Amino acid sequence: MADQFLIFFLLLCVTSATAGENTEFGRPFDRELAGLNKKEQLTHFNFYWHELVGGSNDTAAIIIPSLPQYNSTSHFGSARVIDTPLTLGPELSSKLVGRAEGFYAVTSRTELELLMILSFNFFEGKYNGSGITVLGRDATMNKTRELPVIGGSGVFRFAKGYAELTTYSVEHRTGSSVVEFNLYVLHY
């Protein structure tokens, strides 16, 4: 509590001293005040992403349909918004550790390739309330693919790293899938 008060007091002093004088949009900031004085650590996460399509409990919804001329090939132009469960095992009944929220769009006219923007929001253990964000190209027909970690929140502020995706199963009739994620995240 004393540390928080000290930080608040210092910020108040700095703000008061420069009020009306500073015309800079950005300025250097003390890493210690931002909590960046701790040693950076690498954390590995392993979980399964469940996209359910075509039932009463869909976790992915089409917000933009594909262009008609691509309906039988790649579904180019379509976009979905998602809210999918993240579990410890490949079964949907496995322990729930978080949710993936975001969207993706099919960005190839010839292959099923996606531009994915996902926020992994965790609610298990010390990661409860924290999240990791990934953004990148998912060439879904490749056995394994990689997306960059572009940031995070909570204990993952200033996060960086990558996510390795492997398709575990696909229901071709509906498009439902289970994808294994291995996340390697550097954070403070």
Side-chain angles (χ1 to χ4, degrees):
M1 186 71 158
D3 290 338
Q4 292 173 336
F5 177 76
L6 179 61
I7 291 171
F8 173 75
F9 179 75
L10 290 173
L11 288 173
L12 185 63
C13 289
V14 169
T15 304
S16 298
T18 59
E21 298 171 17
N22 191 354
T23 58
E24 290 183 39
F25 181 67
R27 62 182 176 267
F29 191 73
D30 186 353
R31 293 175 62 88
E32 193 168 324
L33 290 176
L36 300 178
N37 56 331
K38 300 179 234 166
K39 184 179 179 196
E40 195 172 35
Q41 60 184 321
L42 176 64
T43 304
H44 171 237
F45 294 93
N46 176 256
F47 53 80
Y48 292 82
W49 177 79
H50 299 267
E51 181 177 47
L52 306 172
V53 180
S56 61
N57 198 21
D58 287 1
T59 62
I62 294 175
I63 55 174
I64 302 171
S66 67
L67 300 171
Q69 64 267 37
Y70 298 105
N71 283 343
S72 64
T73 56
S74 70
H75 297 280
F76 176 63
S78 69
R80 289 182 186 236
V81 63
I82 63 165
D83 179 7
T84 62
L86 304 174
T87 62
L88 284 182
E91 300 80 23
L92 188 54
S93 60
S94 182
K95 182 174 181 154
L96 187 67
V97 295
R99 299 197 72 82
E101 298 171 341
F103 67 93
Y104 62 81
V106 180
T107 55
S108 172
R109 293 180 294 164
T110 58
E111 302 291 329
L112 187 54
E113 295 177 359
L114 313 173
L115 172 63
M116 299 188 82
I117 302 171
L118 302 173
S119 178
F120 297 115
N121 303 304
F122 300 112
F123 41 79
E124 183 61 32
K126 67 180 180 180
Y127 305 113
N128 183 22
S130 296
I132 296 170
T133 303
V134 299
L135 180 148
R137 177 179 168 261
D138 180 2
T140 63
M141 302 313 285
N142 293 349
K143 178 172 174 46
T144 302
R145 49 258 186 226
E146 202 174 284
L147 297 173
V149 169
I150 61 165
S153 61
V155 299
F156 301 113
R157 287 186 195 129
F158 297 100
K160 57 187 171 189
Y162 71 98
E164 190 176 87
L165 292 66
T166 306
T167 301
Y168 180 82
S169 66
V170 176
E171 169 57 52
H172 292 288
R173 186 179 55 79
T174 63
S176 294
S177 64
V178 177
V179 177
E180 180 180 15
F181 275 80
N182 281 286
L183 249 61
Y184 300 90
V185 183
L186 283 167
H187 60 98
Y188 293 93

